[in-house]
Amino acid sequence: MHHVHRRLLTTAARLPAVSPASLPAFPPKEALKTAADKDTFVQQEFNPDAWAALQPAPSTALVAFSHRIGLASLFDSPDTIRQACTHPSFVPLFRQHYPAMDEPKTNARLATLGNSLMGLFAAEHIQAKYPYLPTRVMKAAVTAHVGPMTCEAVAREMGATPLLRWHRGNAKDDTRTLLHSEALASIPRSITGLLYKQRSLLAAREFVHSYFLTREIDIRAMLKFYNPKKALLEMVKKYQREPPKSRLLKETGRFSNSPVFVVGIYSGADKLGEGFGASLSMAEYRAAEDALHRVYLTQRPNELIQLPSSTLVHRQNSIYEPSSAQAKYTAPELVPSEIIYASSGKSGVSLARS
């Protein structure tokens, strides 16, 4: 008997969902009772993993989490945070073992609402910061800022991993296997939805800007050109500028085994880009690519960025009334964006090579 108790205690110590304060009282009473009582743990053989997954997070841990992310004044009850950390996949597991008890509230609708709001905030921020960014690249940048991988990373940084209540699923139950990263990514989304629901749109936007849009994203790596010379020719023609011309600026070692050529591309007297390479064609390719990067990655200064959502007041229940101090908003001019070129091709849409 003592051997079984020590084995269960060792197993429970490795489970992250079990509070350390409950280890001295392990095994719990559910392991010693049958399914006669309606509120007991219904299972023929006690499973420490299932029991640990069903245990709610301590209220002290939930309060500490709300203080850690700076939202303690907004969430008065620990049950609000507990709902934000409960994934819908947890309900079937809870219903299986506690069929007579009320099901816990999940973050299904909150995560859906928060996901839409995060996409809105990221899209307007990127559009205002990079006005010439191509459409496909802007979508990829939005995903990089507020996508599933970023949401999972933010949730881990917040320390929300021990608070997550979820269930992986089972192939025998004909359910899709849920990854832990997918369930963890729902926590920041649900917090965004809670802020919008309980406070205002600006409170949710401030949270997204603080935790997501302040991250540095390498947008240059998202730009991919199959034929940068042709893309540059069409872009210059669109803006009614002179056709681009390549000029050899520098060279060394032309007759050696390691030559270097430096080529510049000009539109009239304006230099658009510069590139180098071991051959003239390679240098010209890189020069055209550099010219496209200079246009598409043009950033608007931070002090000149104005977001449409900044015109909304911070008062609750009146978020659609412009305030006198924040109503001075000048919409930037929308520039024509590239649809075919300057795409990394990761969206799943096949592109014709030119």
Side-chain angles (χ1 to χ4, degrees):
M1 182 65 181
H2 294 288
H3 174 70
V4 175
H5 184 274
R6 286 197 302 269
R7 183 170 59 85
L8 290 175
L9 186 63
T10 304
T11 304
R14 297 195 301 265
L15 299 175
V18 179
S19 173
S22 62
L23 291 180
F26 196 86
K29 60 181 181 179
E30 287 86 349
L32 306 176
K33 289 186 177 182
T34 62
D37 193 356
K38 65 178 181 178
D39 293 336
T40 57
F41 188 87
V42 180
Q43 185 161 335
Q44 298 297 330
E45 183 180 355
F46 179 69
N47 187 351
D49 295 326
W51 175 83
L54 289 168
Q55 300 311 304
S59 300
T60 54
L62 297 173
V63 173
F65 173 74
S66 62
H67 280 273
R68 186 163 55 249
I69 62 178
L71 300 177
S73 60
L74 303 180
F75 302 138
D76 301 331
S77 174
D79 295 334
T80 305
I81 297 294
R82 182 178 286 110
Q83 178 184 358
C85 298
T86 303
H87 193 267
S89 61
F90 176 76
V91 175
L93 179 66
F94 185 88
R95 189 187 303 116
Q96 176 183 358
H97 296 286
Y98 298 102
M101 297 181 63
D102 296 335
E103 297 178 357
K105 297 181 179 180
T106 65
N107 61 6
R109 295 189 176 183
L110 292 175
T112 303
L113 175 61
N115 186 46
S116 301
L117 291 173
M118 292 169 68
L120 167 66
F121 300 143
E124 70 169 1
H125 174 76
I126 296 174
Q127 175 63 34
K129 188 174 183 180
Y130 299 95
Y132 298 95
L133 203 63
T135 304
R136 297 181 188 272
V137 183
M138 189 183 70
K139 292 181 180 180
V142 171
T143 303
H145 276 287
V146 296
M149 297 181 63
T150 306
C151 289
E152 179 202 0
V154 171
R156 291 185 184 276
E157 294 172 3
M158 290 178 174
T161 305
L163 307 179
L164 176 64
R165 305 177 74 186
W166 71 294
H167 183 54
R168 185 179 300 275
N170 192 353
K172 298 180 180 179
D173 301 335
D174 197 19
T175 57
R176 185 181 69 90
T177 301
L178 179 71
L179 299 179
H180 181 262
S181 58
E182 299 180 41
L184 194 61
S186 65
I187 296 181
R189 296 169 180 166
S190 58
I191 293 177
T192 304
L194 278 174
L195 288 174
Y196 172 77
K197 181 180 177 181
Q198 297 187 2
R199 290 292 174 167
S200 65
L201 182 68
L202 293 185
R205 192 192 71 168
E206 184 178 356
F207 171 78
V208 175
H209 275 258
S210 301
Y211 282 91
F212 292 90
L213 300 184
T214 55
R215 295 170 174 264
E216 294 293 335
I217 303 296
D218 186 14
I219 300 183
R220 178 181 292 269
M222 301 178 184
L223 293 169
K224 182 67 176 179
F225 308 99
Y226 292 122
N227 193 337
K229 293 177 60 178
K230 183 177 181 180
L232 180 62
L233 178 62
E234 295 186 358
M235 185 189 69
V236 172
K237 182 179 180 180
K238 178 181 61 179
Y239 290 107
Q240 300 179 358
R241 301 290 297 273
E242 296 184 22
K245 295 183 179 180
S246 303
R247 300 176 184 175
L248 180 62
L249 302 180
K250 299 177 183 179
E251 67 169 294
T252 180
R254 178 185 285 265
F255 300 104
S256 64
N257 59 355
S258 57
V260 176
F261 299 93
V262 180
V263 173
I265 291 186
Y266 292 80
S267 176
D270 298 330
K271 183 179 179 181
L272 302 181
E274 182 178 313
F276 70 95
S279 63
L280 290 174
S281 59
M282 181 185 297
E284 190 177 11
Y285 182 96
R286 291 177 176 174
E289 196 174 39
D290 179 61
L292 292 172
H293 284 162
R294 290 173 183 268
V295 175
Y296 293 143
L297 298 180
T298 299
Q299 297 187 34
R300 183 176 284 116
N302 294 330
E303 61 272 10
L304 299 180
I305 293 180
Q306 286 185 308
L307 302 178
S309 59
S310 62
T311 60
L312 304 178
V313 297
H314 210 292
R315 299 191 304 271
Q316 193 173 5
N317 300 328
S318 60
I319 63 175
Y320 297 105
E321 299 177 3
S323 63
S324 58
Q326 296 177 336
K328 298 179 180 179
Y329 169 75
T330 303
E333 182 182 359
L334 294 179
V335 299
S337 60
E338 298 289 345
I339 302 299
I340 299 179
Y341 300 102
S343 172
S344 61
K346 297 181 180 179
S347 60
V349 180
S350 59
L351 300 178
R353 295 181 178 269
S354 57

